[in-house]
């Protein structure tokens, strides 16, 4: 198997003291089988495991590392910040500069508040939306992930029942009932719900580039309808840009699609590899937050000096390097390199891509735009391919439904390595039973 003796020994120790041996479930290799690799260092486009093996890393810590591992400028900014003190528990210069940078970059982002994770950003955005509208219900789309707050760990109800049910143990039914789950890519269902129950809906939240259940690229018309219908219903539109913010464009999916949400949530890239989240949007909505307004929200380490320095340095460097042009051409090279390889696979296989995000889908038919269209066969085919890639020094996500990430540390050599390793993996890996 892929994990060396060092990784296996560490994971045995880990499993004794950490549930499943991991601090976040998808790291556990449950869906691909085998033992997780334990890494000791990251460097540019590479990761090195505790057995001294090197991998071209297409996970990039699940998105934050848009500059690659341990970028020199980010490292220096972090060290300089640490030398000035790690946290003040009071306003800091870098936090204000990062807020200015973000509000200048993102459409309609008039004010922003910092938190420490994407989950917290979404949780707080939902609360302020409820406080602003005086309504309780929220709407999400199946296949979109918004972190692990109670009211978002909700799956679609059956049939005509419009309220959801918990998708995790520990989430009260009563919470889940405040969340309505709709399918992506379906204007009919959306219009029907918003015209019928719109006056009870505080907000509709969506990943405008859904990237947590494969890459379910939406038709622009669907997002436009969503903007129009939320506006008409007086419900707020929340774009969850925790993955897509500062990745698919400087102004995220909002810029890319030319649609301005009322609120947006951020995470991943804006922390430059440290724990940061943020939410923001319309001034009149954000002014409902304490200490100005009645909606309570707070955080001991929010706006942390070190994290803000890493984030600000990352975002400024993306501008200086004209990152989005480079990432688009690298992404396009990756797509052209993978397509002929996937066409030669022993089963139908394809790739979806936007900018530096890509998803290898080991199934035929139209590329899915909704979670319900994703065929489970792709999941069973993925495990052997994943392990065959790992053995050749290529790290993709240990799940068929997670996307791949390119960073500015990647170049065409790494893309070519992925393509040739994938060609070998697809022919060598045993076919699962038909
Ligand atoms: C990662 C992610 C989150 C959760 O962020 P955490 O920092 O892991 O809490 C929320 N929404 C989206 C779209 C994400 O990709």
């Amino acid at each position: 198997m892929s994990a060396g003796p060092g990784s296996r020994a560490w994971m045995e120790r880990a499993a004794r003291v950490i549930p499943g041996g991991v601090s976040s479930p998808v790291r556990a290799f449950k869906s691909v089988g085998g033992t997780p690799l334990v890494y000791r260092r990251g460097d540019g486009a590479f990761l090195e495991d505790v057995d001294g093996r090197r991998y071209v890393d297409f996970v990039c810590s699940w998105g934050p590392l848009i500059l690659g591992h341990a970028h020199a400028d980010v490292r220096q900014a972090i060290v300089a910040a640490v030398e000035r003190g790690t946290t003040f528990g009071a306003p800091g210069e870098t936090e204000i500069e990062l807020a200015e940078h973000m509000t200048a970059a993102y459409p309609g982002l008039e004010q922003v508040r910092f938190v420490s994770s994407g989950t917290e950003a979404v949780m707080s955005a939902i609360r302020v939306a409820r406080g602003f509208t005086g309504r309780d219900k929220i709407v999400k789309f199946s296949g979109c992930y918004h972190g692990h707050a109670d009211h978002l760990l909700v799956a679609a109800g059956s049939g005509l029942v419009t309220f959801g049910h918990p998708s995790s143990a520990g989430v009260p039914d009563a919470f889940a009932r405040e969340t309505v789950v709709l399918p992506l890519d379906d204007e009919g269902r959306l219009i029907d719900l918003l015209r019928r129950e719109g006056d009870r809906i505080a907000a509709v939240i969506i990943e405008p580039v859904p990237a947590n259940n494969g890459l379910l690229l939406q038709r622009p018309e669907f997002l436009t309808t969503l903007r129009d219908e939320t506006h008409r219903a007086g419900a707020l539109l929340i774009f969850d840009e925790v993955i897509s913010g500062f990745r698919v464009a400087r102004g995220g999916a909002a810029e890319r699609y030319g649609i301005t949400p009322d609120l947006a949530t951020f995470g991943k890239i804006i922390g430059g590899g440290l724990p940061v989240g943020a939410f923001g949007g319309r001034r009149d909505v954000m002014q409902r937050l304490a200490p100005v307004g009645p909606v309570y929200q707070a955080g001991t380490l929010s706006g942390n000096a070190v994290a803000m320095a890493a984030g600000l340095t990352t975002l400024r460097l993306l501008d200086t390097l004209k990152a989005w042009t480079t990432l688009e051409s690298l992404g396009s090279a990756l797509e052209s390199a993978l397509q002929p390889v996937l066409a030669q696979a022993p089963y139908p296989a394809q790739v979806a891509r936007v900018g530096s995000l890509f998803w290898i889908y080991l199934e035929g038919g139209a590329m899915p735009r909704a979670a319900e269209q994703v065929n489970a066969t792709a999941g069973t085919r993925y495990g052997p391919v994943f392990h065959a890639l790992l053995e050749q020094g290529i790290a993709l996500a240990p799940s068929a439904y997670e996307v791949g990430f390119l960073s500015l540390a990647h170049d065409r050599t790494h893309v070519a390595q992925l393509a040739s390793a994938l060609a070998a993996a697809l022919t060598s890996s045993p076919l699962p039973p038909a």
Side-chain angles (χ1 to χ4, degrees), residues 24 62 116-120 122 144-148 207 209 211-212 240-244 265 267-268 276:
S24 196
W62 308 91
S116 300
S117 70
T119 293
E120 238 187 303
V122 169
C144 288
Y145 177 68
H146 303 292
H148 64 90
E207 281 181 86
V209 176
N212 279 288
D240 182 350
E241 300 244 27
V242 171
I243 280 190
S244 52
T265 56
K268 301 192 170 125
V276 178

Side-chain angles (χ1 to χ4, degrees), residues 395-434:
L396 288 187
S399 159
Y401 306 108
E402 301 288 346
V403 295
F405 295 88
L406 289 166
S407 76
L408 289 175
H410 290 88
D411 60 26
R412 278 159 206 256
T413 322
H414 305 123
V415 165
Q417 265 175 274
L418 169 62
S420 67
L422 184 61
L426 286 167
T427 46
S428 75
S429 56
L431 273 177

Side-chain angles (χ1 to χ4, degrees), residues 228-259:
D228 294 346
E229 292 294 324
T230 43
H231 189 70
R232 178 187 168 123
L236 300 184
L237 175 60
I238 306 174
F239 272 5
D240 182 350
E241 300 244 27
V242 171
I243 280 190
S244 52
F246 293 92
R247 179 169 287 277
V248 301
R250 185 171 194 255
E255 176 188 319
R256 203 158 174 124
Y257 286 102
I259 296 173

Side-chain angles (χ1 to χ4, degrees), residues 97-372:
E97 287 180 302
L98 182 56
E100 285 172 349
H101 186 105
M102 289 177 64
T103 51
Y106 190 88
L109 193 74
E110 294 176 317
Q111 296 207 309
V112 65
R113 179 164 280 175
F114 293 109
V115 292
S116 300
S117 70
T119 293
E120 238 187 303
V122 169
M123 201 179 82
S124 308
I126 298 273
R127 186 178 305 139
V128 76
R130 284 173 163 155
F132 179 79
T133 57
R135 304 171 178 180
D136 286 344
K137 292 238 180 286
I138 57 171
V139 178
K140 79 175 285 284
F141 294 92
S142 65
C144 288
Y145 177 68
H146 303 292
H148 64 90
D150 282 339
H151 39 235
L152 289 157
L153 288 181
V154 174
S158 54
L160 294 174
V161 183
T162 54
F163 50 80
H165 63 83
S167 65
S168 161
V171 175
D173 275 325
F175 289 18
R177 272 199 290 276
E178 299 301 325
T179 304
V180 181
V181 183
L182 288 178
L184 287 162
D185 191 45
D186 187 340
E187 283 94 331
R189 293 281 299 277
L190 173 69
I191 292 173
D192 181 54
L193 177 76
L194 284 175
R195 300 225 174 148
R196 209 157 26 83
E197 296 184 52
D199 60 349
R200 293 159 62 208
I201 294 167
V204 180
I205 185 166
I206 188 170
E207 281 181 86
V209 176
N212 279 288
N213 195 317
L215 188 58
L216 305 172
L217 296 176
Q218 297 303 291
R219 289 172 295 112
E221 305 79 53
F222 177 71
L223 295 173
T224 306
T225 303
L226 179 57
R227 176 63 285 186
D228 294 346
E229 292 294 324
T230 43
H231 189 70
R232 178 187 168 123
L236 300 184
L237 175 60
I238 306 174
F239 272 5
D240 182 350
E241 300 244 27
V242 171
I243 280 190
S244 52
F246 293 92
R247 179 169 287 277
V248 301
R250 185 171 194 255
E255 176 188 319
R256 203 158 174 124
Y257 286 102
I259 296 173
T260 304
D262 300 297
L263 292 173
T265 56
F266 302 90
K268 301 192 170 125
I269 286 175
I270 65 159
L274 271 68
V276 178
F279 65 103
R282 274 166 50 182
R283 187 182 311 275
D284 59 339
V285 179
M286 293 301 284
Q287 290 285 316
R288 305 300 290 171
L289 280 177
V292 195
V295 178
Y296 190 70
Q297 189 280 330
T300 301
L301 288 173
S302 293
N304 171 262
V306 182
M308 295 291 106
L312 183 62
T313 304
T314 298
L315 296 194
R316 284 184 174 163
L317 209 54
L318 293 179
D319 286 348
T320 313
L321 298 173
K322 298 192 173 37
W324 299 282
T325 314
T326 310
L327 289 170
E328 174 58 35
S329 71
L330 191 60
S332 154
L334 176 135
E335 194 177 346
S336 328
L338 295 196
Q339 265 160 358
V341 169
L342 293 167
Q344 297 293 311
Y347 36 72
Q350 17 183 356
V351 59
R353 180 190 70 90
V354 57
S356 53
L357 288 173
F358 65 96
W359 180 44
I360 296 169
Y361 179 52
L362 301 178
E363 183 52 286
M367 215 52 197
R369 286 197 293 252
E372 295 74 13

